[in-house]
Amino acid sequence: MSGNEKDLRIVIITGLSGAGRSETMRCLEDAGYFCIDNLPSSLIQNLAHIFSLPGSKIKRVALVIDVRSGDYFDHLFDALMALKREEIGYQILFLEASDQTLVKRFKETRRRHPLATTGRIVDAIKEERKRLSAVRDIADIVIDTSNLTARELHEKIAETILFGVEEKKLQISVISFGYKFGIPTDADLVLDVRFLPNPYYLDRLRPKSGKDQEVYEFVVQRPETARFFELFRQLLEYLIPQYEIEGKSYLTIAIGCTGGRHRSVVVAEELVKIMREMGYGINLVHRDINKK
C-alpha cells in the first residue's frame, strides 16, 4: 500500500431520497471535496485506486450512492470490504427523515421518488427504508434532517466531518427536545427530565427559555437537579470509554422535557459543560426551543 492510500479520505453519502444528499454534497464540495453523484458502487474500489496513484492531488472525496444505482447491494459491501483490506479510510454518512417530512418535500419540489414508478410516494419511501436498512446499520454517522434547515445541516456536516475533534475520540451530540414533538430518531441515549419542577407553571418564567438566567437558576438550584448531574456524570465516565473500546465514533444524547423549551434546554447546556470538562467535542442543538 502506498502512502497516498493512507492519506486518501472517502466520505460515502447515502440514505433516503429527499433527506438532503444533494445539499450535503454541495456542502462538502464547498469545503474542497471532490464530489461524484450517483456513482455505481462497483466503481468505488477502482476510483479509490485512481485517486491513490502517485502524483494525485485529490485527497478528499465524497461519493453519493443510493438506490438510483441498480447494483446498490450487489457490489456495495464488496467494495467496502476491499477498501478495508487495502486500509483506505472511509466514512459512511446516512441521511434520513420522517415519512411525513419526505412526502412534504417531494410534493413541494414536484420531484418523482426513484422507486415510485407506480403507486403512492409513502409506499416508495417505506420500500427504500427497507432496502437501505443494512447500510444504515453500518453507517458511521446517521443524521435525521426532519427538523433541520439547510444551514443547520451544513453546521452538522461541519461539526461531524469537516471540523470534528480528533478522529479517534468519540464525538458527542446533545439534543434538547420536547416530548410533545417526538423523540429524535437518531438518539442513542434518551433522558427524560420531566421529573424536575417545571418553570412553565410560573407566569414570570413561562415566556422565557432555558437559556435565560432566571429559568437556568430555577432548574439548577434544585437539589434533585444537582443529584441528577452527579449521577449522570458517573454514568458518562463509565459509558464513554466503553463506547470507545467498541469503536463507536459518534454518540447522540437526547434530553427531553414536555415542550423542549425550559428544563431540557438547561440540562442540555449543563451536560455539555460536564462533557467538555471531560475533554470531548460537543455539538449542541436545542431542537424545539422556539416551538409553541
Side-chain angles (χ1 to χ4, degrees), residues 176 199 205-220 257 260-270 273 286 288-290:
S176 69
L205 298 182
R206 185 177 302 136
K208 301 179 182 295
S209 77
K211 296 182 73 68
D212 290 301
Q213 186 65 25
E214 287 181 87
V215 176
Y216 171 84
E217 292 177 355
F218 177 86
V219 175
V220 299
C257 63
R261 181 172 174 80
H262 297 108
R263 292 167 292 181
S264 62
V265 172
V266 173
V267 171
E269 293 275 352
E270 284 301 294
K273 293 178 185 178
H286 295 306
D288 302 327
I289 191 172
N290 294 317

Side-chain angles (χ1 to χ4, degrees), residues 10-283:
I10 299 174
V11 176
I12 297 173
I13 305 168
T14 187
L16 297 170
S17 302
R21 296 189 309 252
S22 297
E23 192 66 38
T24 298
M25 184 178 71
R26 283 193 287 270
C27 177
L28 293 178
E29 192 169 37
D30 290 343
Y33 275 70
F34 184 88
C35 298
I36 302 176
D37 188 18
N38 197 18
L39 180 75
S41 53
S42 57
L43 298 180
I44 294 176
Q45 185 179 5
N46 292 336
L47 195 69
H49 287 159
I50 292 172
F51 291 142
S52 299
L53 292 174
S56 173
K57 296 183 180 180
I58 296 176
K59 301 301 180 186
R60 299 290 182 266
V61 180
L63 310 175
V64 178
I65 300 172
D66 53 60
V67 293
R68 290 174 294 171
S69 174
D71 66 348
Y72 191 87
F73 284 114
D74 294 340
H75 301 288
L76 177 59
F77 290 97
D78 291 340
L80 296 179
M81 289 299 296
L83 293 181
K84 286 184 178 180
R85 285 195 302 270
E86 298 175 23
E87 299 182 29
I88 298 176
Y90 69 86
Q91 286 180 299
I92 300 176
L93 169 60
F94 190 95
L95 298 163
E96 63 184 7
S98 68
D99 287 2
Q100 181 181 6
T101 299
L102 294 175
V103 170
K104 181 181 178 182
R105 289 174 182 173
F106 274 103
K107 287 185 176 181
E108 287 176 346
T109 61
R110 299 184 179 180
R111 292 176 54 235
R112 184 177 66 86
H113 191 286
L115 298 183
T117 53
T118 60
R120 301 166 60 210
I121 294 177
V122 69
D123 294 330
I125 293 170
K126 290 179 180 178
E127 176 62 23
E128 188 175 30
R129 284 192 195 278
K130 181 179 177 181
R131 293 190 189 185
L132 298 179
S133 61
V135 179
R136 187 189 188 283
D137 288 343
I138 64 169
D140 299 289
I141 309 167
V142 178
I143 298 178
D144 185 338
T145 67
S146 299
N147 297 290
L148 298 182
T149 64
R151 179 178 177 180
E152 289 169 339
L153 176 58
H154 281 224
E155 291 173 352
K156 191 88 168 178
I157 297 302
E159 181 73 24
T160 57
I161 294 179
L162 301 180
F163 311 118
V165 296
E166 185 179 327
E167 190 172 333
K168 293 185 179 179
K169 178 162 283 192
L170 183 66
Q171 296 183 39
I172 303 172
S173 293
V174 174
I175 303 174
S176 69
F177 73 95
Y179 275 93
K180 65 188 295 184
F181 302 112
I183 298 173
T185 58
D186 56 343
D188 298 299
L189 295 177
V190 179
L191 297 176
D192 184 347
V193 297
R194 288 177 293 185
F195 68 92
L196 297 173
N198 194 349
Y200 178 85
Y201 294 113
L202 296 179
D203 292 340
R204 62 184 175 84
L205 298 182
R206 185 177 302 136
K208 301 179 182 295
S209 77
K211 296 182 73 68
D212 290 301
Q213 186 65 25
E214 287 181 87
V215 176
Y216 171 84
E217 292 177 355
F218 177 86
V219 175
V220 299
Q221 290 179 359
R222 301 283 175 163
E224 55 267 45
T225 308
R227 180 61 174 157
F228 167 78
F229 288 138
E230 178 185 344
L231 292 173
F232 192 65
R233 181 175 191 129
Q234 293 175 17
L235 180 63
L236 290 174
E237 289 173 345
Y238 171 77
L239 280 180
I240 292 178
Q242 302 304 315
Y243 286 136
E244 290 178 317
I245 290 172
E246 288 299 315
K248 190 173 181 64
S249 300
Y250 298 90
L251 175 68
T252 299
I253 302 173
I255 314 295
C257 63
T258 304
R261 181 172 174 80
H262 297 108
R263 292 167 292 181
S264 62
V265 172
V266 173
V267 171
E269 293 275 352
E270 284 301 294
L271 291 181
V272 165
K273 293 178 185 178
I274 290 173
M275 287 182 280
R276 283 178 175 157
E277 289 174 1
M278 297 169 66
Y280 292 95
I282 307 293
N283 176 44

